[in-house]
Amino acid sequence: LLVEHLKQFELTVEFSREEFIHWFMPRDNVITTYVVCNDENDGDKVTDMISYYHLHSTIMGNPKHDHLYAAYSFYNVATTVPLAN
């Protein structure tokens, strides 16, 4: 799904299997990826994918908060639902 999606761009990354596993397989506090599979006709074909990475920052000089936990959109492809901007 991702490879097909990226073909529409002139400049893109070509992930090897090992690179894909490294960049997209979930790792606690590093990367999260979710997929939707359609098993009706194509036998577990991935139809949608969303991924985001985590970035934890230290907050200095604030008596109430000492960490900021943020998530940033990474690669997202949807064929069965719209992606809102």
Side-chain angles (χ1 to χ4, degrees):
L1 176 67
L2 180 61
V3 170
E4 289 302 313
H5 172 71
L6 293 176
K7 286 181 181 178
Q8 68 182 312
F9 303 103
E10 290 185 32
L11 180 62
T12 186
V13 176
E14 291 185 17
F15 293 103
S16 68
R17 178 177 172 80
E18 292 78 19
E19 290 169 330
F20 186 87
I21 290 168
H22 172 79
W23 286 106
F24 295 99
M25 290 303 290
R27 287 180 279 156
D28 288 342
N29 299 316
V30 177
I31 184 85
T32 301
T33 302
Y34 293 99
V35 297
V36 175
C37 295
N38 178 353
D39 61 359
E40 292 178 13
N41 299 322
D42 297 316
D44 293 333
K45 178 180 177 183
V46 175
T47 59
D48 304 277
M49 176 185 128
I50 184 170
S51 63
Y52 56 92
Y53 64 94
H54 309 250
L55 185 61
H56 302 172
S57 302
T58 300
I59 299 173
M60 298 171 61
N62 186 307
K64 186 173 180 180
H65 302 286
D66 58 358
H67 286 89
L68 173 67
Y69 300 100
Y72 294 91
S73 179
F74 196 41
Y75 283 88
N76 303 293
V77 183
T79 63
T80 62
V81 296
L83 282 177
N85 288 335

